[in-house]
Amino acid sequence: MSGKSRRQAIAKSGSSQAIGFNQRSTDEAAEACSEWLNRHEEHERLIRQWQRLETHLIREHDLFNLNRRDRASLAGASELDAINARIIALFTQNQKLLATIPSLVATTIDGVASKLSVALASVPPDESRATHKLVKSILRDLQAVAQNFGE
């Protein structure tokens, strides 16, 4: 979990609210995607927090050269472990939810946009620039279509 996350900016830019879809619905796909996107945003925020804390502990206390007992006694070590446990739990929950999203039928434009937002967050530009650009353009097109139809 070291290094900057490739997905930091995507969590916010990929959400349906960030691209202008604010429909209220009972679309099951939209609800599941919203849950996934919210967890994804928390996951990314916690990764950044974990990175800052780990960097501090490395610089100030030479974290990786400490024995287990000395590491455990450091202020911040238990917080680092708690953050790591939450990151793992969020990732696991989102992986399970992500496996179900393709089977959900979106019944609103918000549902379609939400599914695309999950796809956008799942395919960062440095892993597949063309796919990322394609999904982002589809979201933009969908926004234009929704505006044309007053949705």
Side-chain angles (χ1 to χ4, degrees):
M1 291 195 201
S2 61
K4 284 285 186 186
S5 171
R6 299 181 298 266
R7 299 179 176 144
Q8 290 176 358
I10 298 169
K12 288 184 182 179
S13 68
S15 74
S16 61
Q17 290 75 22
I19 58 168
F21 296 100
N22 291 314
Q23 278 183 309
R24 298 278 184 217
S25 74
T26 57
D27 186 327
E28 189 178 0
E31 291 173 7
C33 291
S34 177
E35 181 181 336
W36 189 95
L37 289 164
N38 287 335
R39 268 198 217 117
H40 181 72
E41 186 174 348
E42 180 184 358
H43 179 266
E44 296 304 304
R45 181 184 55 77
L46 286 171
I47 286 175
R48 291 186 300 276
Q49 183 180 350
W50 185 87
Q51 289 169 336
R52 284 189 302 271
L53 181 55
E54 181 189 52
T55 298
H56 169 76
L57 292 173
I58 290 168
R59 287 182 181 157
E60 299 299 319
H61 303 285
D62 200 16
L63 180 67
F64 294 129
N65 289 320
L66 297 176
N67 62 41
R68 187 174 275 168
R69 193 182 92 213
D70 289 341
R71 181 189 182 282
S73 69
L74 282 179
S78 62
E79 181 183 358
L80 191 68
D81 292 339
I83 293 169
N84 190 52
R86 179 68 180 148
I87 288 169
I88 292 168
L90 289 166
F91 179 81
T92 301
Q93 291 170 340
N94 262 6
Q95 287 300 104
K96 289 178 184 175
L97 185 56
L98 184 60
T100 68
I101 290 173
S103 66
L104 300 175
V105 177
T107 58
T108 63
I109 290 176
D110 189 44
V112 174
S114 295
K115 287 177 88 169
L116 286 168
S117 294
V118 169
L120 186 65
S122 298
V123 182
D126 60 336
E127 287 183 15
S128 179
R129 184 165 305 286
T131 302
H132 186 82
K133 283 183 174 182
L134 175 63
V135 173
K136 196 171 188 176
S137 76
I138 293 168
L139 281 166
R140 183 192 63 235
D141 297 346
L142 189 58
Q143 182 179 21
V145 169
Q147 288 174 349
N148 288 339
F149 290 99
E151 295 189 31

